[in-house]
Amino acid sequence: SEASENPQLPSLETSDLEFSEGSQSFYKPEPLEKVLNVVRKLMVLILTSDFFQLSDRAAMDASYVQELDEILTEAKTIENHLLQKRESLKQRFTVITNTLQS
């Protein structure tokens, strides 16, 4: 009744499967094994893609860790150099102070 009132709406009483079986269309239901095989192949593709994305991220993260490690090593080297300079300046000021007090 609804479909006759509004011809643009599909009938709610007829499913796609009933329509396909009732008419001589080209639709053929695929065997479950074939569908599962296609699904399995799609899952492999998705998982492989995810694996490579995670692998790329891990490699990038590892490079960031290595870069940060190099920066930390350089910072420690600079810190040691500055501590040596500070100690050297303290010694020079001590010598100057002792000379001026004499």
Side-chain angles (χ1 to χ4, degrees):
S1 67
E2 236 178 62
S4 61
E5 291 172 4
N6 192 348
Q8 294 176 348
L9 294 175
S11 171
L12 299 175
E13 298 168 5
T14 306
S15 71
D16 290 340
L17 183 59
E18 290 172 359
F19 178 76
S20 297
E21 289 173 352
S23 66
Q24 296 297 325
S25 71
F26 294 106
Y27 175 78
K28 262 177 133 173
E30 296 292 334
L32 181 60
E33 185 176 317
K34 190 171 184 180
V35 172
L36 291 176
N37 191 30
V38 170
V39 170
R40 182 188 61 79
K41 287 179 182 178
L42 288 172
M43 291 299 293
V44 167
L45 285 173
I46 291 168
L47 292 174
T48 302
S49 172
D50 288 349
F51 171 78
F52 283 118
Q53 287 177 357
L54 290 174
S55 178
D56 289 345
R57 284 185 193 156
M60 197 166 54
D61 289 350
S63 72
Y64 288 154
V65 168
Q66 182 179 357
E67 187 176 346
L68 288 173
D69 191 43
E70 290 170 2
I71 291 170
L72 182 60
T73 301
E74 186 177 347
K76 286 181 181 179
T77 301
I78 291 170
E79 180 185 28
N80 287 336
H81 177 74
L82 290 174
L83 288 172
Q84 289 173 353
K85 285 286 190 182
R86 178 180 170 201
E87 190 59 36
S88 173
L89 285 173
K90 277 173 71 176
Q91 289 174 0
R92 289 173 90 184
F93 285 139
T94 301
V95 169
I96 292 171
T97 302
N98 288 341
T99 303
L100 290 173
Q101 287 178 352
S102 302

